[in-house]
Amino acid sequence: MSGLIRLADGIAILELPAGPEGYLTGEMCRDVLRALEDLAGRLERGETDAAGLVLRGAGQEFCRGFDPVAEEGDAAREALAALCAGIEAYPCPTVACLDGLVSGAGVALALAAHGRVVTREARLICPEVGYGLMPGGGSTQRLPRLVGADTALQMMLEGRLHRAGDPALAAVIDRIEDEDPLAQAIKLAKSLAPSRRTSLREDGLRQPAAYFAALAAHRAQSHAPVAAAAQAVLRAVEAAALLPFERGVALEEVLAQDLARDKEARAARYRARLAHVARALARDEALPNEAAATWIRQGYWAIGRSLLVRGARPEAIDASARRIGFATGPFAMMETRSGEDIVREFDAFARASGWRVPASGFAQTSLDEALLGRIIHAGMVNLCVAAQAAGVLRHTMEADVIAARDLGFEAAKGGLLFQAEEQGLLPLLRALQGLRAEAASVLAPVPEFSRMVNEGRRLFDEVTPRNVSLAGA
């Protein structure tokens, strides 16, 4: 037997591994599928007499699914789909024994089983849409087949958590057992017919009028901030009632691939990662990282001052900053501080960064104000690259945490540096190079910025934080 599988009372018990923070990974899915295929081979050759299969979690929970901020991508989604198909196609009855939080990919695995035994502490949730993703592993096809469109869409579009005793899940849950759920799961596995596949059930499809009315009602609702993910789920759930199961699963995969390329969905995924990093940083005793926060705030002001002396009007600079996502322009921010405070800030910034902040407010040249937004954005990226190279930033994403927290950068845009990656670093670098600013200016590209572009590197190529642990975020 595989190390993941043991025999108990004539039933094979397969324990799902739990990775960092209890999450599943694509590699774990592949390991479980190999164990399952090995067991099926032994069964076919008569080397085992396991009359059924029970899936359970290795710990206190069944499965939390994939880490929504891990960015595992296509490989993990394909591994999950293959595992779910393997579970449902297993030649003996399969039962999922659910306890604790069953989330995302965990729900997909549970739905792929032929039956489900749960404890009263079990909670099911499909949070993917909130992260700019869509449920995978055939969930968009199996769940509505059991519970209908309305409950399925509540779970998948709204991320609504359902507890074990919720009547809406009656078709999903076969038994609720708190005393000895594993024993009940073994008993159920012995009694089920192996042909009782979720893909063949039609509990939720028996009232077509209600099904399509629920689809129409959910389509009429606003699904901000990740409308693309919501629309993908709506299309997939509609397909569950119109297409054969296999074609519905194929459509789910196509929609997921399209979603992976959607700008809005990518911004949502980045926001989730950003919140993860922010929580991790907030646990650090050295937080807030005032050195980085001060560097970025003072640099923002210094960029504004540098543009002023190159001929841009303060109101135009502030308006351009707001257009690219900042809540307030640099001059509006400086107006809340005394002149002496600003001078001290600029002196401190010059000492820390080596950049000279122009003391004069008189224009030396004329500047096309239509270019201000891109120049401000480029200057901030330049500033952050320099801060990371100097070790002031412990993590690239920390810059976006600070930009959102201290400069009010618009959350819906994902992040200051995220937007730079989306738009491409080369146009930003060229915007600064076109200014031909003196080397001591905050608007002069630092060597690391130029090297990054020339070598084809990304801002987030290195996502390991400096001096901060993300464990348990």
Side-chain angles (χ1 to χ4, degrees):
M1 285 289 175
S2 161
L4 298 175
I5 298 175
R6 62 184 175 86
L7 281 178
D9 196 15
I11 297 295
I13 312 298
L14 194 161
E15 292 192 340
L16 299 171
E21 303 176 42
Y23 290 116
L24 191 67
T25 67
E27 186 55 40
M28 288 176 193
C29 287
R30 289 184 281 273
D31 287 344
V32 173
L33 181 58
R34 283 190 287 267
L36 192 64
E37 290 172 340
D38 177 70
L39 179 61
R42 288 173 177 270
L43 186 68
E44 184 178 358
R45 295 189 298 272
E47 297 174 4
T48 180
D49 58 355
L53 174 71
V54 170
L55 306 173
R56 67 179 308 199
Q60 295 298 311
E61 296 179 323
F62 176 70
C63 179
R64 286 194 171 196
F66 294 129
D67 183 347
V69 302
E71 290 285 306
E72 288 209 54
D74 292 348
R77 190 175 63 249
E78 291 168 4
L80 173 65
L83 177 56
C84 288
I87 291 169
E88 189 169 63
Y90 189 70
C92 293
T94 63
V95 175
C97 185
L98 310 182
D99 194 9
L101 183 64
V102 184
S103 177
V107 173
L109 296 174
L111 292 172
H114 305 152
R116 287 152 288 276
V117 171
V118 306
T119 70
R120 293 189 190 277
E121 295 302 313
R123 290 110 52 217
L124 279 68
I125 186 170
C126 299
E128 290 93 340
V129 164
Y131 297 112
L133 302 166
M134 67 182 293
S139 293
T140 64
Q141 304 304 295
R142 292 189 179 94
L143 186 58
R145 277 174 164 76
L146 291 177
V147 301
D150 192 39
T151 298
L153 291 171
Q154 286 177 17
M155 290 183 68
M156 291 190 282
L157 293 185
E158 302 170 18
R160 186 176 298 186
L161 186 145
H162 285 260
R163 296 191 176 276
D166 192 325
L169 296 184
V172 174
I173 295 169
D174 293 278
R175 297 178 189 173
I176 298 178
E177 171 61 39
D178 290 321
E179 294 300 322
D180 194 347
L182 179 58
Q184 284 297 321
I186 291 172
K187 184 177 179 180
L188 181 61
K190 290 180 176 180
S191 66
L192 285 180
S195 60
R196 188 186 189 252
R197 297 182 179 182
T198 306
S199 61
L200 300 177
R201 292 177 62 177
E202 296 185 347
D203 307 55
L205 305 179
R206 289 175 182 154
Q207 297 180 332
Y211 193 100
F212 287 100
L215 274 166
H218 282 278
R219 276 202 171 99
Q221 297 173 16
S222 170
H223 296 293
V226 199
Q231 292 305 315
V233 168
L234 283 162
R235 285 188 61 191
V237 171
E238 181 178 49
L242 299 174
L243 299 178
F245 177 78
E246 292 75 14
R247 288 182 60 190
V249 171
L251 176 63
E252 177 187 273
E253 175 61 20
V254 170
L255 292 170
Q257 291 175 359
D258 289 344
L259 197 57
R261 296 187 290 268
D262 183 82
K263 182 181 294 187
E264 176 193 40
R266 287 200 303 270
R269 290 193 289 277
Y270 183 73
R271 287 197 300 274
R273 298 179 70 203
L274 206 58
H276 180 81
V277 170
R279 288 193 299 272
L281 294 173
R283 290 195 309 270
D284 193 296
E285 293 180 359
L287 274 184
N289 181 5
E290 288 302 337
T294 300
W295 178 299
I296 290 173
R297 184 188 67 250
Q298 291 171 340
Y300 183 52
W301 296 354
I303 289 169
R305 177 66 70 87
S306 297
L307 289 171
L308 178 72
V309 301
R310 296 183 74 88
R313 296 171 298 117
E315 58 270 26
I317 295 170
D318 280 2
S320 297
R322 291 194 300 271
R323 277 195 295 273
I324 64 174
F326 290 101
T328 308
F331 288 97
M333 288 185 70
M334 284 188 281
E335 285 176 0
T336 65
R337 308 290 290 271
S338 71
E340 292 180 355
D341 283 346
I342 292 171
V343 170
R344 280 195 295 270
E345 294 257 15
F346 281 154
D347 286 344
F349 178 69
R351 289 194 300 272
S353 68
W355 277 314
R356 181 179 62 81
V357 182
S360 170
F362 295 102
Q364 299 170 351
T365 59
S366 61
L367 185 64
D368 184 353
E369 292 184 348
L371 302 176
L372 286 177
R374 175 166 290 186
I375 293 170
I376 294 169
H377 196 177
M380 291 299 295
V381 171
N382 191 49
L383 185 79
C384 293
V385 169
Q388 187 170 28
V392 176
L393 280 174
R394 293 163 296 180
H395 188 291
T396 306
M397 296 174 75
E398 188 176 15
D400 276 346
V401 172
I402 293 168
R405 184 192 67 185
D406 296 357
L407 302 178
F409 193 84
E410 187 179 345
K413 292 183 179 292
L416 175 73
L417 300 187
F418 172 81
Q419 281 297 314
E421 287 278 18
E422 288 289 289
Q423 296 168 18
L425 297 182
L426 180 58
L428 297 176
L429 176 62
R430 285 178 173 168
L432 293 185
Q433 290 172 335
L435 295 175
R436 301 186 181 278
E438 62 276 13
S441 170
V442 71
L443 296 177
V446 294
E448 181 62 24
F449 191 8
S450 299
R451 283 196 297 270
M452 183 176 292
V453 172
N454 292 336
E455 295 170 8
R457 290 158 48 204
R458 300 173 63 249
L459 288 167
F460 301 110
D461 278 344
E462 296 182 8
V463 296
T464 303
R466 302 184 180 193
N467 307 318
V468 61
S469 171
L470 296 186

